[in-house]
Amino acid sequence: MTLDEELLAAARRAGAASAAAQDQADIAKAVYHHSVLRLHRAGGSMREIAEALKMSHQRVHQIVEQSKRTEKCWFCGRVADEVDKMMAGPAALICNVCVAEAQVSEVGDCSFCSETKPVHEGAEAKICRSCLDFSAAVISAAASPR
């Protein structure tokens, strides 16, 4: 049996659209978490933030504490106060300076997506071009006035 080329093309387009939508959703979530953290850093209590955003106090606490754990760039060692923005992956943090300056070369396991690809290797982590581009998009969106 051969595959219908039109259906195959439609499936490929749908897959690409789905991946792009997921990227946008991930960026929106990261920007949202960053905004919650900024509200807290500006003096808002976790309860006030939770009430204003109609979410649980526990969820605000999770977002804030997750961000506070190890807020230093795993690539250059700068702490959050020394840079404009910090992007968190599941296993590492990268600052806006490293995102802008990183050069991808050797193949390795990305600390952000866990895929084996050409990566930029830092002091404590590795990041691939896709995750660098994603981080740049999140940092840019977080910096844009809404």
Side-chain angles (χ1 to χ4, degrees):
M1 177 176 177
T2 59
L3 295 176
D4 182 309
E5 290 300 320
E6 281 186 47
L7 291 176
L8 184 58
R12 286 182 176 143
R13 285 191 304 274
S18 174
Q22 184 62 54
D23 285 348
Q24 288 301 311
D26 290 344
I27 289 168
K29 181 179 178 181
V31 170
Y32 180 59
H33 286 196
H34 179 74
S35 299
V36 169
L37 182 61
R38 288 182 64 205
L39 282 169
H40 181 66
R41 285 184 175 159
S45 75
M46 291 186 204
R47 291 202 185 279
E48 288 173 318
I49 295 167
E51 186 175 308
L53 296 177
K54 297 184 180 2
M55 60 192 303
S56 73
H57 167 264
Q58 291 84 359
R59 184 65 187 127
V60 173
H61 188 268
Q62 281 179 327
I63 292 169
V64 169
E65 289 306 311
Q66 180 180 12
S67 298
K68 284 183 175 179
R69 277 189 217 133
T70 54
E71 284 193 324
K72 75 173 180 78
C73 179
W74 288 34
F75 293 83
C76 67
R78 290 181 185 102
V79 294
D81 293 342
E82 297 174 329
V83 296
D84 290 330
K85 303 283 181 213
M86 198 73 81
M87 178 65 193
L93 289 167
I94 188 167
C95 70
N96 62 298
V97 176
C98 288
V99 167
E101 296 175 354
Q103 297 296 317
V104 173
S105 57
E106 295 183 29
V107 173
D109 293 332
C110 178
S111 301
F112 287 74
C113 68
S114 301
E115 292 184 22
T116 302
K117 298 179 178 180
V119 293
H120 170 72
E121 191 164 345
E124 301 178 50
K126 298 175 186 176
I127 189 167
C128 69
R129 172 54 51 200
S130 298
C131 291
L132 278 167
D133 291 346
F134 175 76
S135 296
V138 170
I139 288 168
S140 175
S144 298
R146 301 259 172 201

